[in-house]
């Protein structure tokens, strides 16, 4: 019998719905691979629910032990999670929580304190990846390519005129630019700003999701992404994917990411082989730089001259039916069931060696 796995999903971030879809897909695949699985919806909302109320959709009451499509499903608040993991005798955790405490190192540090292996990178790596300000500082300090940028604090935005911020942009790299929250994923809160006219609105949107925003030079080019698996010298890249959104703006937004048919994933990308290899190598370097293990996904853009620019590393990539990591794995020759099985086995190996 394989290990008892808890799949953590849901959460309280703006990416909750994506997380539920990722968790459901992973849970079914792990059960198919022969694991004993319990899917746990972790959210503070369950602490506010009356005892007679049920979970949303097909999920059962948190105190019921019922099978949903052949799987045991439960729910709890973050405060109750330790008790749940011990109650179920969980041996390894597959983290499918996106954003917030599920991706910023909080849940990872909690599991590491409990000495329960998990599928994400270590807590410190997740913290660095989640905060784009810190990621960019590390990239720049090691000479890895990333777009020029400035950072703006919410308090400064309130006290500083938009003209002053606009002047900083013009003095640095000019318009158009991308405005994004420093610590969000799934393109939530991200805007493309063509001129200073749209800057104030874009910053107001970004600051709904945190105290810091990044304003980044807009790089025209081919958007690609590269999943990386493993850790250290054993880390390796899956095939590179070219992303072609079908939105009217051509922007790879939340809808394009998670609505079937709203984007094309082209493998291999329509790029020279040497450029593809350079991008894959950079993705591996970023994965190692942040101290990642498990599986990550690095988003990049490649300009007309073949220059690669790192946008961000995703420490807990989506695992839905439209997600990029499963598509890259399929191109590599791995079915989804094999992929999640490999990820769990790698987690057991990695954290097992850490405890020796």
């Amino acid at each position: 019998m394989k290990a008892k796995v808890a799949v953590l999903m849901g959460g309280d971030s703006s990416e909750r719905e994506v997380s539920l879809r990722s968790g459901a897909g992973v849970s079914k695949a792990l059960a198919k691979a022969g694991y004993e699985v319990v899917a746990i919806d972790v959210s503070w909302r369950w602490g506010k629910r009356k005892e007679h109320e049920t979970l949303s959709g097909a999920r059962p009451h948190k105190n019921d032990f019922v099978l949903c499509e052949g799987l045991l499903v439960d729910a709890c608040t973050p405060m109750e999670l330790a008790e749940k993991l011990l109650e179920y005798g969980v041996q390894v955790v597959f983290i499918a929580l996106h954003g917030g405490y599920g991706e910023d190192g909080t849940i990872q540090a909690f599991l590491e304190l409990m000495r329960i292996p998990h599928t994400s990178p270590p807590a410190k790596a997740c913290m660095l990846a989640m905060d784009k300000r810190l990621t960019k500082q590390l990239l720049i300090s090691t000479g890895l390519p990333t777009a020029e940028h400035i950072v703006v604090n919410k308090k400064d935005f309130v006290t500083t005129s938009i003209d002053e911020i606009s002047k900083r942009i013009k003095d640095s790299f000019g318009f158009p630019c991308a405005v994004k929250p420093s610590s969000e994923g799934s393109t939530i809160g991200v805007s493309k700003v063509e001129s200073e006219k749209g800057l104030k609105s874009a910053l107001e949107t970004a600051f709904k999701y945190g105290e810091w925003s990044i304003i980044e030079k807009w790089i025209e080019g081919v958007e690609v992404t590269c999943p990386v698996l493993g850790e250290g010298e054993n880390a390796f890249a899956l095939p590179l994917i070219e992303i072609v959104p079908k939105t009217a703006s051509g922007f790879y937004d939340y809808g394009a990411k998670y609505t079937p048919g709203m984007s094309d994933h082209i493998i291999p990308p329509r790029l020279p082989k040497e450029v593809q290899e350079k991008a894959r190598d950079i993705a591996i370097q970023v994965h190692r730089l942040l101290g990642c293990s498990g599986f990550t996904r690095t988003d990049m853009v490649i300009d007309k001259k073949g220059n690669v620019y790192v946008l961000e590393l995703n420490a807990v990539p989506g695992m839905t039916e439209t997600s990029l990591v499963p598509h890259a794995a399929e191109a590599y020759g791995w079915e989804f069931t094999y992929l999640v099985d490999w990820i769990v086995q790698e987690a057991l190996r990695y954290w097992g060696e850490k405890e020796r």
Side-chain angles (χ1 to χ4, degrees):
M1 174 65 72
K2 289 187 175 179
K4 180 70 173 284
V5 184
V7 178
L8 304 187
M9 59 186 185
D12 296 290
S13 80
S14 54
E15 300 178 70
R16 174 174 169 79
E17 291 307 313
V18 178
S19 172
L20 289 171
R21 288 166 57 189
S22 286
V26 167
S27 297
K28 292 172 187 175
L30 286 173
K32 185 178 178 181
Y35 291 92
E36 189 178 353
V37 180
V38 55
I40 304 177
D41 183 349
V42 183
S43 173
W44 286 109
R45 68 185 59 203
W46 306 134
K48 301 174 182 177
R49 185 171 44 80
K50 295 177 182 178
E51 282 303 308
H52 69 276
E53 293 178 331
T54 58
L55 303 181
S56 61
R59 283 174 294 280
H61 187 283
K62 71 172 186 177
N63 292 322
D64 287 343
F65 297 91
V66 294
L67 293 177
C68 180
E69 296 183 289
L71 298 175
L72 181 63
V73 183
D74 207 337
C76 67
T77 66
M79 189 175 292
E80 298 166 323
L81 182 56
E83 182 181 352
K84 286 292 180 187
L85 295 175
L86 293 173
E87 176 185 325
Y88 286 116
V90 169
Q91 296 168 290
V92 58
V93 168
F94 197 114
I95 298 176
L97 290 163
H98 304 312
Y101 54 74
E103 195 166 355
D104 67 2
T106 302
I107 205 79
Q108 290 78 11
F110 164 77
L111 292 169
E112 288 159 30
L113 186 62
M114 289 190 71
R115 296 188 176 182
I116 297 177
H118 62 80
T119 56
S120 292
K124 186 184 292 186
C126 289
M127 181 270 292
L128 292 171
M130 191 65 174
D131 192 332
K132 297 178 182 66
R133 296 173 304 155
L134 300 179
T135 302
K136 279 187 167 288
Q137 288 175 21
L138 282 171
L139 293 172
I140 292 167
S141 69
T142 54
L144 286 169
T146 187
E148 294 177 73
H149 74 288
I150 62 172
V151 296
V152 180
N153 182 267
K154 192 173 185 177
K155 292 180 181 177
D156 293 337
F157 173 61
V158 172
T159 59
T160 304
S161 73
I162 200 68
D163 290 338
E164 289 182 53
I165 298 174
S166 180
K167 184 177 185 302
R168 287 180 63 194
I169 295 171
K170 291 175 180 177
D171 290 345
S172 299
F173 44 80
F175 292 93
C177 61
V179 177
K180 58 182 74 175
S182 181
S183 299
E184 276 291 332
S186 294
T187 328
I188 290 170
V190 179
S191 306
K192 181 182 180 181
V193 180
E194 299 286 354
S195 67
E196 56 188 308
K197 185 177 180 181
L199 181 60
K200 186 173 185 292
S201 174
L203 282 168
E204 287 173 344
T205 298
F207 282 127
K208 291 177 182 178
Y209 301 98
E211 295 298 312
W212 289 93
S213 289
I214 287 181
I215 303 175
E216 190 175 66
K217 180 180 179 180
W218 186 268
I219 307 292
E220 287 293 344
V222 178
E223 189 165 351
V224 298
T225 193
C226 185
V228 177
L229 279 61
E231 51 89 24
E233 293 303 312
N234 295 320
F236 64 98
L238 293 181
L240 200 66
I241 302 178
E242 177 183 348
I243 302 163
V244 183
K246 294 182 180 179
T247 56
S249 64
F251 185 48
Y252 191 49
D253 58 16
Y254 185 91
K257 283 187 174 183
Y258 298 111
T259 305
M262 284 301 292
S263 64
D264 289 331
H265 300 166
I266 301 173
I267 308 173
R270 296 166 295 183
L271 294 164
K273 285 187 177 180
E274 62 271 20
V275 175
Q276 294 183 44
E277 286 305 311
K278 179 166 65 173
R280 292 176 78 224
D281 181 63
I282 287 172
I284 293 172
Q285 290 184 61
V286 175
H287 181 93
R288 290 173 177 163
L289 173 66
L290 271 60
C292 293
S293 61
F295 69 111
T296 66
R297 199 194 74 231
T298 296
D299 298 337
M300 297 164 280
V301 62
I302 301 173
D303 69 14
K304 294 177 181 178
K305 295 181 180 180
N307 298 309
V308 180
Y309 297 90
V310 176
L311 299 176
E312 64 180 359
L313 178 141
N314 300 272
V316 186
M319 296 288 275
T320 73
E321 67 276 10
T322 60
S323 293
L324 295 154
V325 173
H327 286 187
E330 184 179 6
Y332 191 65
W334 288 8
E335 293 182 354
F336 188 61
T337 300
Y338 185 89
L339 172 65
V340 296
D341 186 12
W342 187 96
I343 290 169
V344 169
Q345 291 301 316
E346 174 66 9
L348 290 167
R349 182 203 66 79
Y350 175 77
W351 293 107
E353 289 185 357
K354 285 283 185 182
E355 289 189 7
R356 290 176 188 170

